[in-house]
Amino acid sequence: MSFTAFYKRNLGFYKLAIASNLEYRMNFFMDALLQPSITSIVEMVLWMAIFKGAQATTIGGFDQNSYLAYALWATFIARATVNWTYEFKMIEEIDQGSINGLLVRPMSYYEYYLSQLLGYKSITTGFSLLFPIGIILATGLPTQWDRFPAAMLLVFYYLFFVYSISFCIASLAFFFNKVQSLTVSKNLAMWLVTGELFPLDLMPDYLRKIFLMLPFSSGVYVPIGFLTGRIGWEFLWHGFASVTVGIIFFSALGAFLWQKGMRSYAGTGA
Amino acid sequence: MSEKFQYAIETEALGRSFQTYKKPEGLINSVKGLWNRETIEKVALQKTNLKIEPGKIIGLVGSNGAGKTTLLKLLSGLIAPTTGYAKVLGYEPFQRDPQFLRRISLLLGQKNQLWWDITPLDSYALLAKIYDLDEIKAAKRVQELAQILNCKHVLETQLRRLSLGERMKMEIIGSLLHEPDVLFLDEPTIGLDIVAQETIRHFLSAYVKNKGPTVILTSHYMDDIASLADRLLLISKGSLVYDGTVQGFVANAELIQTVTYKIVNQPEYKEEVKKADLNEFLVQLTQKGQIENIKIEETDFEDVIHSFLQKESRLL
């Protein structure tokens, strides 16, 4: 198989995700803009209330503006680095047998949804980031713009890690059929360990160290902490390294589960 | 086909069984099922030996749950066999070699395989990329096939907005775009009205004559099988119970013919007579009096298969 064929095919999947999502305009605007905007406003108000209640100018060594910038970015970046849509779709396809129509095509299921996830995230994130960028520019909340490309690169790389976990969970549907609750549990845990709920530097020191060692922190805390000036370049490099290890681990696990699952797959439902 | 095979499809003791679990009735048993489930093995396809020459159309017929779709899934590489092996175009299907997948097509009449949210034209453009086809030639081929199927007007409408018949035509174009050497058609006319069934039947017949792929066709409409198949495979309870021609099956079946007759000064009668006993019945009839009118209705393939499936269903 030539690289050109591989590239063209995956570009096709990438564009498919964009076209499919833009087909439903209302849902697209809600998903890309309204939902994260509401969440970020709630979180920012919450931080204002915390500072007012604490009657302190800093918490954990950072002032209110620093937390507001973190909350604003974290909501949007967390949405960019979570994968509900395609994970649910994959589980449902395996459970209901509609995966059959894809398995008879000369392509891998892994690449099919990975490229779609990247396409979907490109269009929704590209659009939704206009909101925090606009707010930051208007309010002057702390953000180091020269760090923006590197932070976004880590976010993009982290998507491969997220997808490799999704692929493992979806493969479990071969054995247990309905495993959506695992997706929900995983995403709830991610809420904490990525640093979406609050910055990891507010955690007890031993937990903070553990979480920073794991690749999950590269989903929110590391890119946002780096972008808002809470942490330096060394955390970013460590983020790339830990995400790489995570991708290798979960890809190997996913390949194993997939092969075992396909052996037992009954193809029912279609 | 680039290579020459004696058999396009060959199986040796090919079989598949599934593990499932028994769920006795009631809520208590649902709770018990949390920690204790009795697994049972269900044989979907018994060990099957099959040899199919290239370019043949095979009609695969059986009642629901007989094992037709399991056989198609095994041959297209969707599921792994639990016994034996299959070779399709020289490939082991379950290995799912991309070269193999490029040369087959599986059309599932009850499932959409094109993309729901985009137009058929966008779907075909994507399929051209998946199958690494020349995009200009593929686009031209789409127009040709759409012209024959009389559905060019819906090519730019999202799949979800099309009627069942239009969607099936779109699916057929999608499954033939890469000119497969082996075509698995699972209920291609299911749910369609008579006109749409006829259109698709004629189209497939012409396509097969022109391109010569090997086809395995399952259908609940016996007209599909009778008009298209060179060879008939009857499957029952996971086993092949007949392998031969449609005509051969009809000839060997215990045919029942309906004889409607009227003897002068008597009312009209209608009787069902075995074909083998027909001569004797007619001799006896002439002895009853002067025959005013007589009509003998021939049993067709549909009736024979229907009676076969009914018998098999009772045995299940």
Side-chain angles (χ1 to χ4, degrees):
Chain A
M1 182 189 61
S2 72
F3 176 75
T4 318
F6 172 81
Y7 172 75
K8 276 167 71 179
R9 185 172 73 224
N10 281 281
L11 187 62
F13 301 147
Y14 181 92
K15 288 179 180 170
L16 169 69
I18 296 176
S20 302
N21 278 285
L22 292 181
E23 182 67 24
Y24 305 100
R25 292 174 294 180
M26 181 71 172
N27 192 57
F28 174 75
F29 285 117
M30 296 281 184
D31 182 38
L33 206 57
L34 192 66
Q35 281 186 22
S37 303
I38 291 172
T39 317
S40 68
I41 290 166
V42 169
E43 289 207 14
M44 288 169 82
V45 170
L46 200 65
W47 278 111
M48 284 187 223
I50 289 169
F51 268 91
K52 194 180 171 197
Q55 291 189 325
T57 51
T58 63
I59 293 174
F62 297 97
D63 64 9
Q64 179 175 295
N65 277 353
S66 178
Y67 281 97
L68 292 181
Y70 187 94
L72 181 61
W73 280 117
T75 315
F76 284 87
I77 296 301
R79 285 188 67 80
T81 57
V82 74
N83 178 25
W84 291 88
T85 317
Y86 289 100
E87 197 170 303
F88 268 47
K89 209 168 175 178
M90 288 157 82
I91 292 168
E92 206 173 285
E93 277 178 357
I94 294 171
D95 175 34
Q96 297 183 357
S98 46
I99 190 178
N100 291 351
L102 298 169
L103 290 177
V104 289
R105 309 263 191 228
M107 62 184 193
S108 88
Y109 192 66
Y110 185 91
E111 65 174 283
Y112 177 70
Y113 275 120
L114 174 60
S115 298
Q116 285 199 63
L117 176 70
L118 297 178
Y120 165 67
K121 291 296 179 184
S122 304
I123 186 75
T124 49
T125 308
F127 190 77
S128 70
L129 280 183
L130 295 174
F131 183 83
I133 290 171
I135 298 281
I136 298 280
L137 289 175
T139 58
L141 289 173
T143 293
Q144 297 184 19
W145 291 108
D146 57 322
R147 290 181 167 195
F148 186 78
M152 288 304 118
L153 193 63
L154 180 60
V155 168
F156 179 75
Y157 190 48
Y158 182 83
L159 273 179
F160 288 82
F161 170 65
V162 165
Y163 180 74
S164 58
I165 299 175
S166 292
F167 192 76
C168 289
I169 292 177
S171 297
L172 290 175
F174 283 121
F175 311 98
F176 304 106
N177 297 89
K178 300 209 181 296
V179 288
Q180 284 90 340
S181 53
L182 193 57
T183 300
V184 177
S185 310
K186 183 239 337 176
N187 287 348
L188 280 173
M190 292 284 227
W191 198 31
L192 180 72
V193 298
T194 57
E196 183 191 351
L197 188 59
F198 53 81
L200 293 182
D201 37 44
L202 294 181
M203 288 207 165
D205 204 40
Y206 71 99
L207 270 182
R208 178 178 169 268
K209 279 180 183 161
I210 293 170
F211 287 171
L212 278 174
M213 270 177 60
L214 296 172
F216 307 105
S217 57
S218 299
V220 178
Y221 177 73
V222 174
I224 305 307
F226 177 72
L227 187 63
T228 55
R230 298 172 95 95
I231 52 175
W233 283 91
E234 68 280 13
F235 284 86
L236 196 79
W237 299 135
H238 177 268
F240 276 108
S242 64
V243 167
T244 305
V245 173
I247 291 172
I248 293 168
F249 175 78
F250 281 105
S251 297
L253 181 63
F256 172 75
L257 289 171
W258 176 264
Q259 279 175 11
K260 287 277 286 179
M262 279 297 291
R263 280 253 148 223
S264 63
Y265 181 54
T268 44
Chain B
M1 243 180 267
S2 45
E3 308 100 317
K4 288 282 172 208
F5 293 101
Q6 190 184 0
Y7 300 110
I9 297 171
E10 199 175 351
T11 72
E12 182 78 43
L14 183 72
R16 171 74 200 218
S17 49
F18 300 109
Q19 287 253 322
T20 179
Y21 85 95
K22 204 170 160 181
K23 164 63 183 65
E25 190 190 343
L27 186 62
I28 298 289
N29 286 313
S30 295
V31 177
K32 277 184 187 167
L34 281 173
W35 66 86
N36 183 21
R37 290 184 179 186
E38 187 191 338
T39 54
I40 45 172
E41 193 170 90
K42 191 187 169 212
V43 180
L45 186 71
Q46 306 272 8
K47 292 177 179 176
T48 302
N49 298 320
L50 200 57
K51 285 182 169 62
I52 296 171
E53 294 88 359
K56 295 284 178 201
I57 305 180
I58 310 300
L60 184 60
V61 176
S63 48
N64 289 335
K68 305 182 299 288
T69 308
T70 301
L71 180 59
L72 287 193
K73 285 173 182 167
L74 283 164
L75 294 177
S76 58
L78 275 180
I79 57 172
T82 41
T83 65
Y85 76 89
K87 288 267 181 195
V88 178
L89 301 167
Y91 294 93
E92 212 175 307
F94 188 65
Q95 296 300 319
R96 301 186 56 248
D97 186 317
Q99 294 305 324
F100 163 70
L101 296 174
R102 268 194 193 96
R103 297 179 57 190
I104 66 154
S105 199
L106 171 68
L107 179 72
L108 301 161
Q110 302 182 63
K111 287 276 170 184
N112 292 314
Q113 287 168 278
L114 296 179
W115 289 271
W116 189 246
D117 298 319
I118 59 176
T119 66
L121 273 188
D122 280 337
S123 282
Y124 301 141
L126 185 55
L127 284 176
K129 290 183 178 88
I130 292 172
Y131 287 94
D132 197 17
L133 306 175
D134 181 313
E135 287 177 39
I136 296 167
K137 280 185 189 166
K140 202 175 151 204
R141 188 163 160 70
V142 166
Q143 294 299 331
E144 284 166 9
L145 293 170
Q147 178 74 47
I148 302 169
L149 279 167
N150 194 24
C151 56
K152 279 178 97 166
H153 59 290
V154 294
L155 288 173
E156 291 180 330
T157 307
Q158 289 89 342
L159 194 73
R160 66 174 192 276
R161 297 185 193 277
L162 303 183
S163 70
L164 183 65
E166 288 166 340
R167 274 212 303 273
M168 186 45 69
K169 287 176 182 176
M170 297 298 110
E171 293 286 351
I172 287 174
I173 294 173
S175 69
L176 299 178
L177 193 61
H178 59 290
E179 302 192 13
D181 293 323
V182 174
L183 192 52
F184 301 106
L185 302 173
D186 191 16
E187 305 282 0
T189 55
I190 196 160
L192 303 184
D193 62 42
I194 295 168
V195 179
Q197 279 179 37
E198 276 286 306
T199 310
I200 286 173
R201 210 172 284 143
H202 285 142
F203 170 80
L204 288 174
S205 174
Y207 179 84
V208 169
K209 270 185 201 142
N210 190 22
K211 300 282 179 187
T214 307
V215 180
I216 299 194
L217 165 73
T218 79
S219 180
H220 277 103
Y221 302 118
M222 289 310 120
D223 282 351
D224 288 351
I225 305 288
S227 65
L228 293 170
D230 300 311
R231 184 173 155 194
L232 174 67
L233 296 178
L234 278 175
I235 195 163
S236 174
K237 290 173 278 175
S239 297
L240 281 181
V241 291
Y242 178 80
D243 180 357
T245 59
V246 170
Q247 294 77 8
F249 180 73
V250 175
N252 290 326
E254 193 181 65
L255 297 180
I256 304 288
Q257 294 189 306
T258 308
V259 181
T260 312
Y261 61 90
K262 186 173 184 326
I263 296 173
V264 177
N265 297 328
Q266 286 187 29
E268 191 178 81
Y269 290 101
K270 197 179 216 180
E271 287 190 44
E272 288 194 332
V273 182
K274 285 182 187 171
K275 191 168 186 177
D277 300 336
L278 186 65
N279 280 345
E280 197 186 325
F281 175 82
L282 291 175
V283 170
Q284 285 175 5
L285 192 64
T286 51
Q287 289 165 1
K288 286 185 183 174
Q290 194 186 343
I291 298 170
E292 191 179 304
N293 194 12
I294 185 162
K295 186 178 156 199
I296 302 169
E297 285 173 56
E298 284 289 326
T299 312
D300 64 8
F301 178 57
E302 176 94 40
D303 298 326
V304 180
I305 287 286
H306 186 252
S307 116
F308 170 83
L309 293 180
Q310 257 186 341
K311 204 160 76 185
E312 291 298 326
S313 298
R314 281 199 295 270
L315 293 174
L316 279 175

